[in-house]
Every structure is written in structure tokens, then in C-alpha cells.
Amino acid sequence: MADPLPEALGPLLREARARLVAAGVGDPALDARLIVEHFSGTTRTQAIADPERTIDSNAIAAIDAALGRRAGGEPVHRILGYREFYGLRLSLSPETLEPRPDTETLVEAVLPFVKAMAAREGTCRILDLGTGTGAIALALLSAVPAATATGVDISAGALATAARNAGELGLGRRFTTVQSDWFEKVSGRYHVIAANPPYIPTRDIGNLQDEVRDFDPRLALDGGVDGLNPYRIIAVEAARFLEAESRIAVEIGHTQRDEVTDIFKAAGYASVAALRDLGGNDRVLVFQWG
């Protein structure tokens, strides 16, 4: 097959959008723009000011391949290889959950405590369980220069991605990784334990949106029979890793507030806060030991 010919940016964007519309993609205009900009090295401003700008054949071929993947159901940020989270660009890998805006609620929930602890103690030690891309830990480190964080994950591939993200963001000296099944190989004590654990009941995995079910790692989704197993583990085991004044913050499924609160209260924790995400759904619970 002959190599694709160079093409003007404006028509290229229109064709990309039409292709995704035909494929039934949910937000075809945005996804087409993200793909074209990424693989052509152009910006939205350039598309408006200079729609006749020529895009070379190599970029056209890369865009064509990416559009094919998106039309086939692959999430756009998986295709791009990164996603923005809390103002940070985080690389993705097959072993990592794609960080989503709802999880920024967890960062906001503990950030004032992290700042206050760092101001008082000179540091704030954070343990990020199931760190994935490192999103939660790295967002907190970016906002609090005196803080340090340990990212824990059972997946070596996820930890490699998190470490790479930390290095690219200039946060590598304050971020360490531990490959561990929850607390199994964790040591030390922390002021904050944060987690966005798997919380989907096993029976519900098959009913998830295709882009989640088919492309997010199952390890990061499946929370056991009732979706609550990780919370039970954290509630039972976390206390020996906590400083005297400390917080645990967990993301939850939008129907799990009462059950997760009961699990932590039964283990001796007091409820400090419950926060909703931008959609108004219960999303984050914060607890204090004792």
C-alpha cells in the first residue's frame, strides 16, 4: 500500500472527527483533536490560526493507526500513552489503572493535612497503596515539597511506570517504590496512608464500560465478592504503620460509603471526612486512628 500523502491540518481534523463519529465514539471531536495534535505535534491554536499547515506523511500514518485503535474501542489516553492528573502528565502502561479526575478528590481530601504535618514536623511521610502510575503520591509531592512518599503495588510493571513518572516530574528523590501484596513487605511508619483500591465486586466486572473492562488491569478493578476485601485488609493491618497522629484516605465506589465506614470503625478508626466527586457521588472517606 502506498504511503499516505501530506495533508492540511484543518481537513485532517475534520476527517478524523468524522471517522470517530462513524465508529460511535462518545466524544469524537475531543478525541480526534487529541490524536491529531499528539501525533502531528500541533496545537489547537495552530489548527485555528493556520488550518492549511501541512502535516507530513509519517504523522498522517501514525494518526491513521491511532484512529483505528480508537474506533476499535481503545481509550484515547491509552493510545496517547499518558493522562493528565492534578496538572501532572503521567505515563500509562498496561499494568496501570488510568487515573481519572474523580481520584483528584482524594488528593484534595488529604492535602491540607499533608501541608500542616510538613509545616509542623518538617516532613510528611505518605504511603500510597496500589500506587499504579503514582498519581496520588506524586500529586501530593508536587504540592508539598517537604513530603516524601512510598508507592506500593503488587505489579512490577506498575511500579516501573510510577518510578518513571516520578523521575520525569523531578520527584524521584522523594518517591520510592515497594513491590508488595498490600502491607506484606512494607516497613516504617507514615503520617498518611492513601489508597484507590480495587472496589468493583467480581460479578460486576463484566458489566463495566468496555473501555474500563477491556483495558484497565483487572487487578486494579476486582475487589472480591462484595468489592470490600481491600478495605478489610487496610483497616486490619494499617495501624502498625501509622504515626500517632495520622490519616487514612480511601477512594470508594459510590454505593460503598456506609459499608466502608463500618469496616474502619470496627477496626478502631474514627471518621474524619466524607467527600463527593464532581458528579456528586460519594467518593472518598478519611479516617483517623484512635
Side-chain angles (χ1 to χ4, degrees):
M1 189 172 69
D3 291 337
L5 297 173
E7 191 170 345
L9 179 56
L12 179 61
L13 278 164
R14 290 192 292 274
E15 290 167 13
R17 182 171 62 247
R19 185 170 170 184
L20 297 186
V21 167
V25 169
D27 196 343
L30 175 61
D31 288 4
R33 181 170 64 81
L34 289 172
I35 287 170
V36 170
E37 288 176 0
H38 178 76
F39 290 101
S40 68
T42 59
T43 66
R44 190 175 189 183
T45 300
Q46 289 170 333
I48 295 168
D50 187 14
E52 298 307 312
R53 170 187 289 261
T54 300
I55 306 302
D56 68 45
S57 58
N58 289 334
I60 297 290
I63 290 166
D64 179 68
L67 291 170
R69 291 166 64 185
R70 185 68 190 99
E74 187 171 351
V76 67
H77 291 285
R78 293 278 179 197
I79 297 166
L80 303 182
Y82 71 88
R83 179 148 188 173
E84 299 283 337
F85 179 85
Y86 212 75
L88 308 176
R89 176 178 284 204
L90 300 175
S91 294
L92 306 175
S93 65
E95 301 85 4
T96 61
L97 191 72
E98 185 180 326
R100 293 172 172 85
D102 287 346
T103 303
E104 294 184 2
T105 307
L106 194 155
V107 176
E108 294 289 350
V110 295
L111 184 55
F113 180 83
V114 174
K115 287 181 175 178
M117 184 61 66
R120 194 181 80 188
E121 301 291 334
T123 190
C124 181
R125 292 185 297 279
I126 300 161
L127 184 69
D128 181 12
L129 293 170
T131 194
T133 59
I136 294 167
L138 298 177
L140 291 169
L141 294 185
S142 72
V144 186
T148 61
T150 298
V152 174
D153 209 290
I154 197 170
S155 165
L159 291 175
T161 302
R164 183 169 74 251
N165 283 328
E168 290 175 350
L169 294 167
L171 301 171
R173 291 186 177 183
R174 294 190 284 130
F175 181 75
T176 57
T177 61
V178 175
Q179 187 175 3
S180 178
D181 186 359
W182 298 111
F183 294 97
E184 184 181 17
K185 296 181 180 178
V186 173
S187 59
R189 290 185 178 270
Y190 300 87
H191 300 105
V192 171
I193 294 179
N196 176 18
Y199 53 70
I200 308 298
T202 303
R203 66 181 181 277
D204 294 341
I205 298 290
N207 299 326
L208 293 172
Q209 183 181 7
D210 291 354
E211 294 181 7
V212 175
R213 183 193 65 225
D214 296 340
F215 294 96
D216 278 338
R218 188 178 179 113
L219 269 176
L221 299 172
D222 192 338
V225 173
D226 61 0
L228 301 173
N229 284 353
Y231 303 106
R232 296 186 181 100
I233 294 168
I234 296 169
V236 168
E237 298 186 17
R240 59 196 172 101
F241 300 98
L242 290 169
E243 293 286 9
E245 293 185 45
S246 54
R247 296 283 190 275
I248 292 183
V250 292
E251 181 169 329
I252 61 170
H254 65 90
T255 64
Q256 295 173 325
R257 175 176 172 172
D258 291 343
E259 292 90 341
V260 175
T261 298
D262 289 345
I263 288 169
F264 278 89
K265 284 188 174 179
Y269 294 87
S271 179
V272 173
L275 292 89
R276 295 182 174 182
D277 59 28
L278 294 174
N281 298 306
D282 288 324
R283 186 59 60 193
V284 173
L285 300 177
V286 183
F287 300 96
Q288 178 175 327
W289 174 246

